[in-house]
Amino acid sequence: MRKILIVGAGQSGLQLALGLQAHGYEVTVMSNRTADEIRGGRVMSTQCMFDQALQHERDLEINFWEDRSPRVEGLGVSVAGPDGSRPVNWLGRLDGYAQSVDQRVKMAGWMETFAQRGGQLVIHGAAVSDLDFFARAYDLVLVAAGKGELVTMFERDAARSPYDRPQRALAVAYAHGVERRPEHPDTLAVRCNLVPGVGELFMIPGYTVSGACDIMFWEGVPGGPLDVFTGVTDPAEHFSLTLELMKRFTPWEYERAAKAELTDAGGTLAGRYAPTVRKPIGRLPSGGAVLGVADVVVANDPITGQGSNSASKCAAAYLASILERGEEPFDEEWMQATFDRYWATAQHVTKWTNAMLAPPPEHVLKLIGSGMQYQALADRFANGFNDPADFEDWFFEPEKAEAYLASLADG
């Protein structure tokens, strides 16, 4: 029986661990927190997952919250005018529903399931020196902890990382009591509110420790009017700031949320990081090699909502590569090939995300505006969150955008 160590208990690490466990591998997971500490801690992300990523959970039969979590059937886009108006406002329909399950709920539940099924769970904050010791006892070591010292083992891939500093200041709040959207009260949807030159507000229906909720997620241009959450430690103050900014920049969202309340004391999060692609093989002091997983090696800004989706897809790709390897050694050539298999899909996410962080070119503004005129475009944009590779055919290049718009006009 092959022995595998996974460091990190997030979406990718636990999904991969449960998948390997189901195929008879001897798996150890290292986490710096217990399930109870995670469940009772602070929110970690917004984690709206679309159909392809959710299917990987269904395939492993670990979609424990699918029947409880609200089903997101659309994705809308609004553009704010300087006077508080919405010159652009449309809704695209998803072919398969999306869901957002608070990672406090999911990761705690998955950790407990992994342990109940006989997996070895080690509660220990791993350092590079720890991995150097443990690596000798395992056939493969996977690093799925995207923050802290361990990430320094993986070299930044400058050719794939155009940004060297954070492009957005991030602020999240989970709330109960947000009213249904009046323009489509029967369709739950993620809403992307674009405030030109200022940032973005995402409204995401979700499921948290206390049931159904709505997630308010500000992405602010650094140094701009949304960049006000640094140093704010009081959840009530964070929530109040969130609502004040909604009232100022997206009054249509504030109207729905004016009577909302924070879900719990751990329901806020703020921070920022530079989007970075890293080389997948990490070097240990003794000369051994470890393989990076998900946002350890491809950390995109959350502006396109792809973090958990990419983590799920990475775990699925790595699981397939490990199973196909059989008894052959997990050498560095295999590690690189395994990452390349994931990068085949991740590259589209990185390209799209980095494009959305930049000021939009004229053809993108035209596409976004045309979502009001063409339902097919609105639907295609929405479903691009499920399969970002589709954007290659119509979104990035002016010529392809014009050809697509012409095809819609000819109709």
Side-chain angles (χ1 to χ4, degrees):
M1 186 184 296
R2 307 205 78 177
K3 296 177 66 177
I4 294 178
L5 172 64
I6 299 174
V7 183
Q11 175 75 39
S12 59
L14 286 169
Q15 181 183 316
L16 183 53
L18 288 160
L20 289 168
Q21 188 181 51
H23 284 89
Y25 286 75
E26 187 177 328
V27 185
T28 300
V29 170
M30 292 185 72
S31 170
N32 62 354
R33 291 189 293 169
T34 66
D36 285 343
E37 287 170 339
I38 291 171
R39 193 179 281 114
R42 187 176 289 274
V43 295
M44 295 176 275
S45 66
T46 54
Q47 77 279 307
C48 187
M49 295 178 66
F50 296 85
D51 187 58
Q52 286 184 1
L54 292 174
Q55 188 59 47
H56 295 310
E57 297 183 2
R58 298 183 193 115
D59 291 343
L60 297 175
E61 298 181 356
I62 55 173
N63 54 326
F64 305 141
W65 303 274
E66 186 158 7
D67 291 339
R68 281 178 265 170
S69 179
R71 297 188 175 188
V72 176
E73 297 176 326
L75 185 138
V77 172
S78 298
V79 178
D83 57 353
S85 64
R86 268 191 294 180
V88 174
N89 180 39
W90 48 259
L91 176 71
R93 305 283 175 167
L94 292 169
D95 294 338
Y97 58 80
Q99 291 184 307
S100 176
V101 178
D102 186 341
Q103 289 195 345
R104 295 179 297 179
V105 174
K106 185 189 285 188
M107 300 317 146
W110 278 0
M111 280 177 71
E112 290 166 346
T113 298
F114 174 75
Q116 288 162 5
R117 292 177 179 177
Q120 185 174 2
L121 187 60
V122 177
I123 307 302
H124 179 67
V128 173
S129 57
D130 297 314
L131 293 199
D132 211 24
F133 173 78
F134 287 122
R136 298 168 198 147
Y138 291 89
D139 296 297
L140 174 64
V141 175
L142 296 149
V143 178
K147 298 181 179 123
E149 177 193 342
L150 298 184
V151 178
T152 63
M153 290 192 295
F154 301 90
E155 180 187 351
R156 180 175 181 269
D157 188 338
R160 292 171 170 171
S161 305
Y163 300 116
D164 59 4
R165 58 184 61 117
Q167 298 300 298
R168 293 291 188 275
L170 314 174
V172 176
Y174 282 49
H176 289 312
V178 176
E179 296 174 359
R180 285 291 185 106
R181 194 171 293 282
E183 60 266 44
H184 48 84
D186 297 327
T187 302
L188 286 180
V190 170
R191 174 64 56 163
C192 311
N193 297 284
L194 311 178
V195 187
V198 176
E200 301 82 25
L201 171 67
F202 296 88
M203 299 290 287
I204 306 166
Y207 180 83
T208 186
V209 289
S210 47
C213 67
D214 283 88
I215 303 168
M216 309 166 178
F217 176 33
W218 276 114
E219 288 229 352
V221 173
L226 303 179
D227 188 2
V228 293
F229 291 89
T230 302
V232 176
T233 57
D234 177 42
E237 183 183 354
H238 180 116
F239 191 60
S240 177
L241 269 175
T242 299
L243 293 175
E244 286 174 21
L245 293 168
M246 290 168 68
K247 188 175 184 179
R248 177 180 173 187
F249 292 107
T250 58
W252 57 91
E253 298 291 16
Y254 175 76
E255 287 171 13
R256 297 197 304 128
K259 298 177 182 176
E261 298 179 345
L262 202 60
T263 55
D264 63 283
T268 62
L269 178 69
R272 68 188 76 203
Y273 60 89
T276 306
V277 177
R278 299 181 180 90
K279 295 181 180 177
I281 300 172
R283 305 287 175 188
L284 295 169
S286 62
V290 297
L291 177 60
V293 184
D295 60 357
V296 170
V297 285
V298 184
N300 292 305
D301 188 278
I303 192 169
T304 54
Q306 294 298 298
S308 293
N309 294 273
S310 293
S312 176
K313 292 172 183 179
C314 182
Y318 280 27
L319 175 61
S321 289
I322 291 169
L323 296 179
E324 290 166 10
R325 193 63 171 168
E327 295 300 318
E328 293 294 310
F330 298 117
D331 54 24
E332 293 186 26
E333 183 179 358
W334 174 86
M335 289 182 179
Q336 184 64 51
T338 295
F339 171 77
D340 291 343
R341 181 179 193 159
Y342 167 53
W343 181 249
T345 59
Q347 64 178 322
H348 302 296
V349 176
T350 297
K351 181 177 180 178
W352 175 43
T353 304
N354 289 340
M356 292 298 286
L357 288 169
E362 188 64 33
H363 75 275
V364 169
L365 292 175
K366 189 173 181 180
L367 286 170
I368 291 173
S370 297
M372 295 181 70
Q373 183 178 357
Y374 301 114
Q375 186 61 44
L377 189 156
D379 293 347
R380 189 172 189 180
F381 184 82
N383 286 287
F385 283 72
N386 180 49
D387 182 13
D390 183 59
F391 287 113
E392 291 284 352
D393 296 330
W394 65 283
F395 191 79
F396 297 117
E397 298 169 25
E399 297 78 13
K400 290 183 178 180
E402 288 297 336
Y404 177 53
L405 288 172
S407 73
L408 292 172
D410 293 341

